Amino acid sequence: MKLSLLTLLTTGLASTLALAGQDVYEARADAMGGVAVAAGNREAAAFSNPALLALPSRRSSDFSLLIPTIGADGADKDQMIDKFDALQDNYDALVNAIDAADTAAIDDYRKRLSGDLQSLQGNSAYVSAGINMALVLPSDGFSYAFVFKSYLDALGIAEIAAADIDTLDNLDPNNPPEIQDLTSQGRVVAGAVSELGVAVSYPLSIVNMPVTVGVTPKLQRLDSFNYAVSANNFDADDFNDDDYRSDDTGFNLDLGLAFQPLDGLVIGVSGRNLIERDLSSIEAGGVQLTYQVKPMVTAGVAYDWAAFSLSSDLDLTDNDKFAELEGSRYWRLGGEYRPTDWVALRLGYRQDLNDHSADLYSLGTGFAIGNSFRLDLTGMFGSDDAIGGVLQTSYHF
């Protein structure tokens, strides 16, 4: 009997997708475990907490241009993609052997193909990727930033039918049947969000304590992908074909609050995607999923002293990417050391408090080249062979 998608998800693949919940890549924040609600710097603050833009320590008379930030992370601990490639080679060889009536080759390749299917049972892989851009205007009272970001989460699943294995194991090389497409499938479920917005932040004061509020109205497009084909035709690169895609465009809103009770100490709270939006995927292989963006609330604290910074963020809500899957909720911790004014060293750690994803560790560095150019690099790694990286360049003039 074919192993259902629901069974696969409830036996551990949901945790793989939870690991993919980046939402936004930003090299400095990602190097420190993803902390950004209180620690975000000027050029990237609008992505996580627009209120930070108007804090006294973030204001500037310069323009800041972040273009681009490119990031990705993923894991294929089972070597699922390579196994599908081997399966397709052995399937084609079996077809050719049957056409040629080569009994020895038929026996060899039916065994190989059966082994390929067995090795793929329960396999999964994931990838996340994103790109961001921002233009921050000089600050004078109100602070403004124009922002664009786009990110994708994709999960690949091998759905293996026991009937295929039985058929191959019982195939008579001397009297083989006509080969049909396998009942077993390869599937990719994915969701993408693209946003264009304007972040506005305004400074206030409570008993001489700096307080800022921020808002980011944004145009938001959702894309959902549900790609499922016979295992002998599976190609993960085809998942974004129009035949497997649905999309919808609408409005959404981010809000943020930040205050600075002491010099060097910042406390922030952000609410992102305050308007819940759902998008149903197309139906493929008898399965339909719902991709969604839901209100996401995160609190953070950051402290700077001398050449050191330490920050922590805590998600107060679950980040549910698909209605059918349980979401992650992260605690993040990171630090930065600036031995000179032109280089920074960073370390970070991220843990899913819902225990659906592996711990993720990160490290990175940043360089100031002259007065106007900055380069930031980040690497991420975790269990299940998870690996990722972020490259970011920014300009200040």
Side-chain angles (χ1 to χ4, degrees), residues 23 44 67-68 107 157 164 190 198 201 259 281 297 317 329 338 357:
D23 285 4
I67 181 170
D107 192 46
I157 304 167
D164 285 337
V198 180
S201 181
F259 57 99
S281 73
V297 181
T317 55
R329 185 168 65 90
R338 300 172 295 276
S357 64

Side-chain angles (χ1 to χ4, degrees), residues 215-218 220 251-255 271-275:
V215 58
T216 306
K218 55 191 182 182
Q220 185 179 69
F251 173 82
N252 221 313
L253 189 69
D254 297 344
L255 292 176
R272 302 185 301 279
N273 296 319
L274 297 183
I275 301 172

Side-chain angles (χ1 to χ4, degrees), residues 161-241:
D164 285 337
I165 299 173
D166 292 340
T167 297
L168 290 166
D169 288 345
N170 296 313
L171 188 150
D172 182 0
N174 296 302
N175 187 27
E178 182 179 346
I179 290 296
Q180 306 291 332
D181 282 341
L182 295 170
T183 305
S184 300
Q185 293 185 332
R187 181 185 296 273
V188 176
V189 293
V193 178
S194 301
E195 300 177 344
L196 182 64
V198 180
V200 182
S201 181
Y202 186 71
L204 303 171
S205 179
I206 300 177
V207 194
N208 297 322
M209 178 178 66
V211 177
T212 58
V213 294
V215 58
T216 306
K218 55 191 182 182
L219 184 67
Q220 185 179 69
R221 169 172 166 151
L222 307 185
D223 287 270
S224 178
F225 307 88
N226 190 12
Y227 166 71
V229 295
S230 295
N232 53 285
N233 295 315
F234 179 74
D235 185 346
D237 293 337
D238 290 341
F239 82 92
N240 60 346
D241 189 278

Side-chain angles (χ1 to χ4, degrees), residues 120-377:
L120 276 164
Q121 289 180 320
N123 282 196
S124 67
Y126 91 86
V127 66
S128 293
I131 184 169
N132 308 326
M133 302 177 190
L135 173 63
V136 185
L137 305 183
S139 303
D140 182 15
F142 279 99
S143 297
Y144 301 91
F146 297 92
V147 293
F148 168 81
K149 72 175 181 179
S150 182
Y151 64 87
L152 167 78
D153 296 311
L155 172 65
I157 304 167
E159 300 178 37
I160 304 304
D164 285 337
I165 299 173
D166 292 340
T167 297
L168 290 166
D169 288 345
N170 296 313
L171 188 150
D172 182 0
N174 296 302
N175 187 27
E178 182 179 346
I179 290 296
Q180 306 291 332
D181 282 341
L182 295 170
T183 305
S184 300
Q185 293 185 332
R187 181 185 296 273
V188 176
V189 293
V193 178
S194 301
E195 300 177 344
L196 182 64
V198 180
V200 182
S201 181
Y202 186 71
L204 303 171
S205 179
I206 300 177
V207 194
N208 297 322
M209 178 178 66
V211 177
T212 58
V213 294
V215 58
T216 306
K218 55 191 182 182
L219 184 67
Q220 185 179 69
R221 169 172 166 151
L222 307 185
D223 287 270
S224 178
F225 307 88
N226 190 12
Y227 166 71
V229 295
S230 295
N232 53 285
N233 295 315
F234 179 74
D235 185 346
D237 293 337
D238 290 341
F239 82 92
N240 60 346
D241 189 278
D242 287 344
D243 291 338
Y244 311 107
R245 176 203 300 257
S246 59
D247 63 79
D248 183 56
T249 301
F251 173 82
N252 221 313
L253 189 69
D254 297 344
L255 292 176
L257 174 68
F259 57 99
Q260 189 171 342
L262 301 172
D263 286 342
L265 177 64
V266 176
I267 298 173
V269 179
S270 71
R272 302 185 301 279
N273 296 319
L274 297 183
I275 301 172
E276 182 171 347
R277 300 182 60 218
D278 296 332
L279 174 64
S280 296
S281 73
I282 68 160
E283 183 175 334
V287 173
Q288 187 176 37
L289 301 172
T290 302
Y291 187 65
Q292 58 189 7
V293 292
K294 296 177 64 177
M296 185 71 193
V297 181
T298 304
V301 59
Y303 187 64
D304 293 323
W305 73 100
F308 294 90
S309 296
L310 183 65
S311 184
S312 181
D313 283 4
L314 176 65
D315 292 339
L316 304 181
T317 55
D318 291 347
N319 191 359
D320 300 321
K321 296 292 187 179
F322 286 87
E324 296 77 9
L325 307 181
E326 295 182 1
S328 58
R329 185 168 65 90
Y330 287 109
W331 169 64
R332 305 171 180 88
L333 178 67
E336 179 182 62
Y337 172 53
R338 300 172 295 276
T340 72
D341 59 0
W342 59 271
V343 67
L345 306 173
R346 299 153 185 155
L347 289 172
Y349 169 75
R350 183 176 74 178
Q351 180 185 38
D352 181 8
L353 299 178
N354 289 344
D355 206 22
H356 295 317
S357 64
D359 296 341
L360 193 66
Y361 302 88
S362 55
L363 69 163
T365 187
F367 300 94
I369 302 174
N371 294 323
S372 60
F373 179 72
R374 295 177 190 168
L375 172 66
D376 295 276
L377 303 167

Side-chain angles (χ1 to χ4, degrees), residues 89-110 173 176-177 179:
D89 289 342
N90 289 325
Y91 175 89
D92 292 340
L94 178 59
V95 172
N96 293 334
I98 290 176
D99 290 342
D102 186 338
T103 302
I106 293 172
D107 192 46
D108 180 28
Y109 286 114
R110 75 171 179 87
I179 290 296

